[in-house]
Amino acid sequence: MMDIESEYRSPSSPSENSEEPSGARKGFLASSTARLAGDLPSSARTLRWKQHQLSNVWARNLDRVNVLGNHGHGHTGCVNALSWAQDGELLISSGDDQDIRVWRLDPSTDSNEYPLSCQSVIHTGHTHNVFNAQMLPHSSQIATVSGDKQVRVFDVGEAVGRSPTGSEMTYTTNEACKRVLRCHSGRTKRIVTEDSPDLFLTVSEDGTVRQHDLRTSHVCGGHGCPAPLVKLPHELSTIALSPLTPYQFAVGGESPFAHLYDRRHIGRYLWEEWGMSPAAADATTCVRKFSRYSRAPGEPKGGEHITGARMSTWNGHELLLSFNSDAVYLYSTKDEPGNSERSKKLSVLAPNVKLGRRTGDLGVGKGKSKRYTVFPLIRDANNLKKKNRTGIPVIYPRARFAGHCNVRTIKDVNFLGPRDEYVTSGSDDGNFFLWNKFLENWLIFSRVTGLSSMLLRGTQLYLSWLLVASIPPLSDRPEFSRLEQATNIVKKNARDSRRGLRASDGMAIAHLFLRYSALTSLRSHEEEDGEDAVQCVNQ
């Protein structure tokens, strides 16, 4: 490689020619060097260009390019779990049929622009719905959590997602399952992985968060399981952790508050380690709580429930929480407790919206706009501040994203875009919604047909894919953008949310009946299993 300055240096060295270059000559050399240096390829500029292109993808109308599993092929029940693995090369899915499916991009197939084909099917052996499935980093191991209270780990080696015949390879539970974990006493709901092939966290409706370490083992039952990291007096259903700040995680469930824990501050349940039940008040250290200013219109007191949580992988401090029968809220772990005003300079957000309802332009690609209603932060007499009696500092939201309906099924929430500049959620009406964090009055959504329950982002090279898990059946006619019906859809979702709240008593009865049926089934299953000790990983 030739040095830029040497190319324009005088042929004779200073020792050979004592005459100094003139001022004009110096200026020419400096300007030429700067111009050539600016024309050199720059990894930083290339990265910014790629991020800009990927970000623009989400500002367009999105088309449905493929359906994974249809017409008797694929999952036979609702899909609850979707996750990318191995830098986007594999897609892991699972659900009510209790099977794991591993999908891979198949370049040999030219019948579809995005030919994801199922390469491996693993029968998990779970007796209830699988709620989450994740491949552990730097490994071929897949961990699952289920309504049967179990955490299971599977490993079929390098064959996972790689079928030698090109068709689905099926693995039985005995062939693939390497560990069954029964530390939780309630339905296990979510998994978050860490930067390790052996460590991961699980959250359960028993109110606990447990850290599992596959390098060690113990016998479950009695007091054989190590103490949990977190134990709360209410059910938990979601957990969020950012790889940029792996020492802290947020949990949410049947409470008006989400809780932020810092593992650098976490204590120990000494009583439980000594074989005694810990006192209910001896909670693990919680450094922050997250709450709203008020409940949703018509939301009954005590019915608050957080269905989804996600921490930003771009900055490590932003947190999304999805509240049942309400909206999606954006928080920051760096905000001062009790102060959500965004008048100070923040990483991605503009100043706070004014109180009251107003209208704004809806971005629909270049040269197009649509009028719709903006949903500001709500402050009214239905205040939730008085519920915090623990003295733990409470952080209130930076922004509120509404328009969807989150009543009938559990909705997850996610960031999208190379800089997490978008927020997305499913909806009971079969649409998925996409909001822009930079533009408070920007909304776009598309039709899925079916209840959109889980949204997942995936970026591989120049491709940006959005996967949506829905309750079948899907329409044969792919209806995409619904922007022309934005106003009517948002109004209908608001009515459905209020109607769903009024029907909450009947839903609660149905929920109790399902829980009773599940408990009866589990008891009979445990009686069949007997008192055999089960190997379990350490926490």
Side-chain angles (χ1 to χ4, degrees):
M1 177 177 289
M2 183 179 293
D3 180 71
I4 296 176
E5 292 185 347
S6 65
E7 184 179 0
Y8 286 89
R9 195 174 293 139
S10 174
S12 59
S13 64
S15 59
E16 296 172 339
N17 187 356
S18 60
E19 183 179 353
E20 292 290 334
S22 65
R25 175 68 172 169
K26 288 182 178 180
F28 170 75
L29 290 175
S31 62
S32 300
T33 301
R35 183 168 62 254
L36 286 176
D39 292 338
L40 288 176
S42 169
S43 59
R45 287 202 304 274
T46 302
L47 179 60
R48 288 196 298 270
W49 179 83
K50 289 182 178 180
Q51 291 178 345
H52 178 71
Q53 296 300 316
L54 289 173
S55 181
N56 286 342
V57 168
W58 305 111
R60 306 168 187 165
N61 292 339
L62 303 178
D63 292 337
R64 194 181 74 193
V65 296
N66 200 353
V67 177
L68 305 184
N70 205 357
H71 306 294
H73 172 72
H75 287 288
T76 58
C78 302
V79 179
N80 306 319
L82 287 173
S83 63
W84 291 107
Q86 297 184 0
D87 296 326
E89 293 186 6
L90 301 178
L91 174 68
I92 312 297
S93 66
S94 191
D96 290 1
D97 61 5
Q98 302 154 18
D99 286 342
I100 298 172
R101 288 184 173 267
V102 183
W103 310 77
R104 178 185 289 275
L105 186 65
D106 186 4
S108 63
T109 303
D110 55 3
S111 60
N112 193 295
E113 187 177 359
Y114 299 88
L116 281 168
S117 61
C118 182
Q119 298 288 300
S120 304
V121 180
I122 300 174
H123 298 312
T124 64
H126 283 295
T127 57
H128 288 75
N129 303 349
V130 176
F131 293 122
N132 205 201
Q134 298 279 346
M135 179 171 284
L136 303 183
H138 319 298
S139 76
S140 57
Q141 301 176 116
I142 300 175
T144 60
V145 292
S146 169
D148 59 11
K149 309 179 185 180
Q150 296 179 4
V151 180
R152 295 193 171 211
V153 180
F154 304 87
D155 193 358
V156 294
E158 296 300 322
V160 62
R162 302 177 187 273
S163 174
T165 63
S167 58
E168 295 179 358
M169 292 290 293
T170 302
Y171 300 91
T172 65
T173 305
N174 291 335
E175 291 174 327
C177 186
K178 60 175 291 186
R179 202 72 68 89
V180 178
L181 328 172
R182 296 184 180 177
C183 292
H184 288 293
S185 59
R187 298 195 301 172
T188 52
K189 302 303 288 286
R190 290 290 183 269
I191 302 170
V192 290
T193 61
E194 306 188 58
D195 189 24
S196 168
D198 302 306
L199 297 172
F200 61 96
L201 305 180
T202 58
V203 66
S204 168
E205 290 182 350
D206 61 10
T208 65
V209 175
R210 293 181 177 271
Q211 183 184 42
H212 306 280
D213 189 341
L214 297 180
R215 295 168 297 185
T216 61
S217 63
H218 69 271
V219 177
C220 279
H223 297 285
C225 299
L229 295 180
V230 171
K231 177 174 287 188
L232 289 172
H234 59 266
E235 292 186 359
L236 296 177
S237 57
T238 185
I239 182 171
L241 179 147
S242 172
L244 298 181
T245 53
Y247 47 82
Q248 63 184 14
F249 58 88
V251 295
E254 293 189 355
S255 168
F257 300 98
H259 298 73
L260 179 70
Y261 292 90
D262 193 320
R263 281 189 275 186
R264 297 171 299 182
H265 299 172
I266 280 181
R268 299 165 59 194
Y269 282 105
L270 294 179
W271 282 33
E272 187 162 316
E273 293 179 12
W274 294 339
M276 298 179 287
S277 298
D282 293 340
T284 305
T285 302
C286 175
V287 295
R288 289 290 186 272
K289 284 186 176 182
F290 303 93
S291 184
R292 303 166 290 171
Y293 280 102
S294 64
R295 288 178 286 273
E299 183 178 355
K301 182 179 179 181
E304 303 91 348
H305 184 201
I306 298 173
T307 65
R310 185 75 58 171
M311 294 193 75
S312 172
T313 59
W314 168 253
N315 54 44
H317 66 85
E318 288 185 330
L319 172 67
L320 290 174
L321 295 177
S322 180
F323 285 81
N324 185 51
S325 304
D326 195 2
V328 175
Y329 290 85
L330 176 68
Y331 302 83
S332 172
T333 60
K334 293 184 176 181
D335 282 351
E336 291 295 327
N339 179 22
S340 67
E341 298 300 328
R342 295 180 290 170
S343 57
K344 59 183 179 179
K345 184 177 180 181
L346 300 173
S347 60
V348 295
L349 291 170
N352 197 9
V353 294
K354 296 180 180 179
L355 300 183
R357 297 165 70 91
R358 59 187 177 93
T359 58
D361 291 332
L362 175 63
V364 196
K366 294 183 178 179
K368 299 181 182 179
S369 66
K370 183 80 175 178
R371 304 293 291 180
Y372 81 108
T373 302
V374 175
F375 299 84
L377 296 177
I378 297 177
R379 298 173 176 85
D380 59 22
N382 233 357
N383 205 294
L384 292 171
K385 286 186 177 181
K386 58 185 179 181
K387 278 206 166 190
N388 182 36
R389 301 184 179 92
T390 62
I392 299 172
V394 179
I395 294 177
Y396 291 94
R398 290 181 166 190
R400 180 176 185 263
F401 306 99
H404 65 303
C405 183
N406 179 12
V407 176
R408 295 173 60 187
T409 59
I410 297 298
K411 303 298 183 303
D412 215 334
V413 66
N414 211 336
F415 289 99
L416 285 179
R419 295 172 294 166
D420 286 350
E421 61 266 44
Y422 299 97
V423 174
T424 184
S425 174
S427 179
D428 287 350
D429 62 352
N431 294 305
F432 67 83
F433 284 67
L434 187 64
W435 299 271
N436 190 319
K437 291 192 308 182
F438 293 102
L439 306 175
E440 294 174 343
N441 57 350
W442 195 92
L443 167 69
I444 185 172
F445 52 92
S446 296
R447 183 70 174 172
V448 177
T449 309
L451 303 180
S452 308
S453 58
M454 172 85 71
L455 289 107
L456 174 72
R457 65 172 176 190
T459 302
Q460 184 180 19
L461 298 180
Y462 299 102
L463 303 178
S464 290
W465 297 355
L466 176 71
L467 283 90
V468 182
S470 64
I471 295 179
L474 290 175
S475 172
D476 291 333
R477 184 167 63 93
E479 297 176 317
F480 306 131
S481 176
R482 312 287 286 185
L483 292 170
E484 297 303 322
Q485 306 175 33
T487 302
N488 293 333
I489 288 176
V490 169
K491 289 181 178 179
K492 181 180 182 299
N493 283 339
R495 291 195 302 269
D496 290 345
S497 294
R498 292 191 294 269
R499 190 178 299 116
L501 289 171
R502 288 195 296 269
S504 60
D505 292 341
M507 294 176 64
I509 294 175
H511 178 69
L512 289 174
F513 176 76
L514 291 175
R515 294 288 298 275
Y516 173 78
S517 300
L519 180 62
T520 303
S521 176
L522 280 175
R523 285 178 175 172
S524 61
H525 177 69
E526 290 172 356
E527 290 175 358
E528 293 176 0
D529 290 346
E531 300 297 330
D532 294 339
V534 180
Q535 287 296 315
C536 179
V537 297
N538 200 357
Q539 310 296 308

